């Protein structure tokens, strides 16, 4: 069977990081191009309808003047919080205790876990998100459900069991030993199976004993191929609590570093209120931080310093943080990234916002050799954007004098109606 396709549209492909100071935004043209897809991979991008005779009978899809970018990469979500998104009135610790933990208790039931995993993955794809790094719950069943839902759709995903052995309700705690054993068994079952990638996940230092952090640090040392994801310095009350729980730690990051949980393949969610030493260490080890802008405003956490992180060459991903975040949409997430940077005195360029939601997040997950850009050899995970998806957006983009002015209203005002198509490994979903 011929699995080849030629997909045409205005293609956005990054050859460089638009946060580099010499970057010329005018060099990023969105031309009418043909994307040659073979067996789920991009084989080339060109001006002509045929790459070689093998494409003579290929399926041809023309997206007209819609923009084709890499599928969005959501670098930090909690799929089990799908059904409690937009829960009112609490700050972080109260929000966890009131809404999150009771909901997460339900994921020991594989039927419920599968139902929510399916629901979440469909919401993500509708919003053009083709990959994500998701927390699960303490239950191995929740991990199984998520990787299964993703594998059924051939999606490249990162996930892992969330570990907590203190400061969580009865029924939602594991132990140092069971967190180690269950995580290890899940790594053996899922790491690099198809497009699945495992992230070891101590939830955050307040919900792990030093013994659990140590056990998970040892597990990471045994499985350096895995990512490690956790939360860091999200709210000031949380930081004060960490100081009480770990009186000998130099700072919040040190509670991870001491136990072998700081490394290049580490992903630190939120990372808002950092000390200079923490910034230095993140930069030195080449770790990644994940900006969760709609969550940071919704839960009232603070203003992440995107430009400061980029200036220090710390890897930054962006994320919805569903359901602390208030949207499943990476367009909405880019808009909030722009707004928060504005509150810090920086206007991010639309190309920088799109880069963060694709290449930047993919690089944070160490998957930028496979996803996050439209280029030869990458997976054909793509999103097709309609830049006139509502009358309000259409009337603004019609006045645009260049492509970036045409795209920006969709970033700021767009939602799932702007997603004209989503492709996963070359298949339209
Ligand atoms: N810190 C620890 N757990 C969580 C969570 O589930 N959501 C957010 N936003 N922060 C956290
Ligand atoms: Zn989170």
């Amino acid at each position: 069977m011929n699995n080849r396709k030629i997909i045409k549209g205005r293609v956005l492909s990054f050859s460089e990081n638009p946060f580099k100071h010499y970057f010329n935004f005018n060099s990023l043209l969105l031309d009418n191009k043909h994307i040659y897809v073979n067996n789920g991979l991009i084989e080339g991008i060109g001006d002509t309808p045929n790459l070689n005779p093998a494409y003579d009978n290929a399926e041809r899809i023309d997206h007209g003047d819609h923009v084709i970018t890499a599928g969005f990469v959501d670098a930090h979500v909690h799929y089990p919080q799908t059904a409690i998104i937009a829960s009112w009135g609490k700050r972080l610790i109260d929000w966890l205790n009131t809404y999150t933990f009771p909901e997460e208790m339900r994921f020991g039931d594989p039927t419920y876990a599968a139902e929510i995993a399916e629901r979440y993955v469909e919401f993500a794809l509708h919003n053009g998100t083709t990959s994500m790094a998701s927390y699960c719950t303490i239950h191995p069943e929740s991990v199984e459900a998520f990787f299964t839902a993703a594998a059924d759709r051939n999606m490249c995903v990162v996930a892992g069991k969330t570990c907590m052995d203190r400061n969580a309700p009865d029924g939602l705690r594991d132990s140092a030993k069971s967190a180690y054993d269950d995580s290890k068994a899940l790594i053996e079952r899922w790491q690099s199976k198809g497009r699945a990638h495992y992230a070891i996940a101590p939830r955050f230092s307040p919900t792990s004993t030093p013994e659990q952090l140590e056990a998970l640090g040892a597990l990471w040392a045994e499985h350096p191929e895995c990512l490690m994801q956790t939360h860091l310095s999200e709210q000031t009350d949380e930081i004060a609590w960490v100081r009480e729980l770990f009186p000998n730690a130099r700072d919040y990051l040190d509670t991870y570093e001491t136990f072998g949980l700081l490394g290049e393949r580490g992903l630190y969610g939120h990372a808002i209120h950092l000390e200079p030493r923490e910034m230095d260490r993140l930069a030195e080890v080449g770790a990644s931080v994940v900006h969760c802008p709609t969550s940071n405003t919704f839960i009232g956490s603070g203003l992440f310093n995107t430009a400061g992180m980029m200036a220090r060459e710390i890897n930054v991903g962006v994320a919805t943080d569903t359901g602390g975040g208030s949207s499943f949409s990476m367009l909405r997430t880019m808009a909030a990234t722009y707004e928060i940077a504005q509150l810090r005195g920086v206007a991010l360029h639309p190309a920088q916002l799109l880069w963060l939601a694709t290449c930047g997040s993919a690089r944070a997950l160490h998957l930028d050799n496979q996803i996050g850009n439209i280029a030869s050899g990458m997976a054909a995970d793509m999103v097709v954007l309609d830049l006139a998806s509502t009358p309000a957006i259409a009337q603004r983009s019609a006045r645009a004098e260049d492509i970036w002015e045409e795209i920006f209203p969709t970033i700021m005002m767009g939602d799932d109606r702007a997603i004209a198509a989503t492709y996963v490994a070359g298949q339209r979903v």
Side-chain angles (χ1 to χ4, degrees):
M1 199 192 107
N2 188 342
N3 258 324
R4 290 189 170 83
K5 286 192 178 96
I6 303 173
I7 300 169
K8 185 165 170 275
R10 287 196 284 174
V11 175
L12 173 59
S13 168
F14 287 100
S15 53
E16 271 191 281
N17 175 349
F19 282 91
K20 297 276 184 216
H21 66 275
Y22 53 78
F23 192 81
N24 175 9
F25 291 100
N26 296 324
S27 70
L28 258 178
L29 296 174
L30 279 96
D31 282 338
N32 264 306
K33 294 274 187 206
H34 300 80
I35 304 171
Y36 312 104
V37 175
N38 182 14
N39 262 327
L41 292 179
I42 296 170
E43 204 168 15
I45 306 168
D47 295 312
T48 60
N50 266 23
L51 183 67
N52 62 45
Y55 281 84
D56 284 351
N57 299 315
E59 183 187 350
R60 282 153 202 269
I61 306 155
D62 189 346
H63 288 291
D65 60 6
H66 289 171
V67 166
I68 308 178
T69 83
F72 300 137
V73 180
D74 188 340
H76 179 132
V77 318
H78 299 255
Y79 95 80
Q81 298 170 14
T82 295
I84 57 130
I85 193 168
S87 290
W88 183 83
K90 304 285 182 194
R91 292 175 65 82
L92 179 60
I93 306 304
D94 278 351
W95 175 84
L96 286 171
N97 287 318
T98 309
Y99 299 119
T100 308
F101 291 162
E103 176 66 8
E104 291 195 6
M105 300 255 252
R106 302 178 64 181
F107 284 72
D109 171 2
T111 307
Y112 187 67
E115 179 190 335
I116 301 297
E118 294 275 323
R119 189 187 302 174
Y120 165 74
V121 163
E122 286 300 316
F123 285 156
L125 291 172
H126 270 287
N127 281 286
T129 302
T130 48
S131 288
M132 66 286 297
S134 186
Y135 288 77
C136 300
T137 66
I138 67 156
H139 313 95
E141 294 84 349
S142 72
V143 182
E144 195 69 21
F146 182 76
F147 277 132
T148 301
D152 287 348
R153 293 161 179 83
N154 205 9
M155 293 165 69
C156 174
V157 296
V158 174
K161 175 191 132 71
T162 297
C163 302
M164 309 197 262
D165 67 344
R166 65 166 162 176
N167 294 319
D170 289 347
L172 200 63
R173 288 189 308 271
D174 49 18
S175 66
K177 180 165 178 0
S178 73
Y180 174 94
D181 290 344
D182 289 348
S183 301
K184 191 172 179 66
L186 287 162
I187 291 168
E188 279 156 14
R189 180 156 163 70
W190 286 105
Q191 169 63 20
S192 292
K193 182 173 172 191
R195 303 187 76 194
H197 302 272
Y198 197 89
I200 296 165
R203 180 177 214 118
F204 64 156
S205 17
T207 49
S208 289
T209 58
E211 293 70 35
Q212 181 170 79
L213 294 173
E214 190 175 10
L216 294 175
L219 182 62
W220 198 18
E222 288 161 34
H223 289 280
E225 71 281 12
C226 290
L227 295 158
M228 191 290 303
Q229 62 178 350
T230 189
H231 296 81
L232 177 68
S233 293
E234 180 176 359
Q235 288 207 343
T236 48
D237 296 1
E238 170 210 11
I239 296 166
W241 191 23
V242 169
R243 206 172 287 129
E244 277 170 33
L245 291 168
F246 297 87
N248 297 326
R250 285 170 288 184
D251 46 44
Y252 198 154
L253 188 65
D254 199 31
T255 65
Y256 299 126
E257 189 168 0
T258 303
F259 298 108
L261 292 168
L262 175 63
E264 193 184 355
R265 293 176 77 78
L267 288 161
Y268 302 85
H270 302 277
I272 301 169
H273 309 281
L274 297 180
E275 303 289 337
R277 190 201 82 90
E278 294 176 293
M279 296 276 278
D280 290 345
R281 287 298 290 145
L282 289 165
E284 273 165 25
V285 305
S288 301
V289 295
V290 185
H291 182 21
C292 306
T294 72
S295 170
N296 296 345
T297 51
F298 182 77
I299 312 186
S301 302
L303 306 179
F304 179 85
N305 186 0
T306 304
M309 293 286 182
M310 297 310 293
R312 300 186 72 155
E313 301 200 355
I314 295 173
N315 296 329
V316 176
V318 290
T320 60
D321 191 29
T322 295
S326 54
S327 172
F328 294 94
S329 167
M330 290 298 285
L331 291 171
R332 177 74 199 100
T333 300
M334 286 180 246
T337 300
Y338 179 80
E339 290 162 351
I340 289 179
Q342 279 283 58
L343 287 168
R344 298 193 68 116
V346 175
L348 296 174
H349 190 279
Q352 292 175 320
L353 297 168
L354 279 161
W355 184 88
L356 283 170
T358 53
C359 297
S361 284
R363 193 175 65 150
L365 304 184
H366 293 258
L367 292 170
D368 51 331
N369 59 340
Q370 303 166 36
I371 60 169
N373 204 2
I374 296 198
S376 292
M378 307 287 276
D381 293 348
M382 304 182 292
V383 58
V384 182
L385 297 175
D386 175 359
L387 302 188
S389 60
T390 69
I393 295 173
Q395 58 93 39
R396 180 64 187 89
S397 58
R399 274 211 187 179
E401 292 186 356
D402 65 34
I403 179 66
W404 300 112
E405 206 183 335
E406 195 183 344
I407 285 184
F408 193 54
T410 289
I411 292 178
M412 292 310 299
M413 300 162 74
D415 55 28
D416 53 346
R417 289 169 290 181
I419 310 301
T422 305
Y423 291 87
V424 175
Q427 295 294 326
R428 197 164 172 170
V429 292

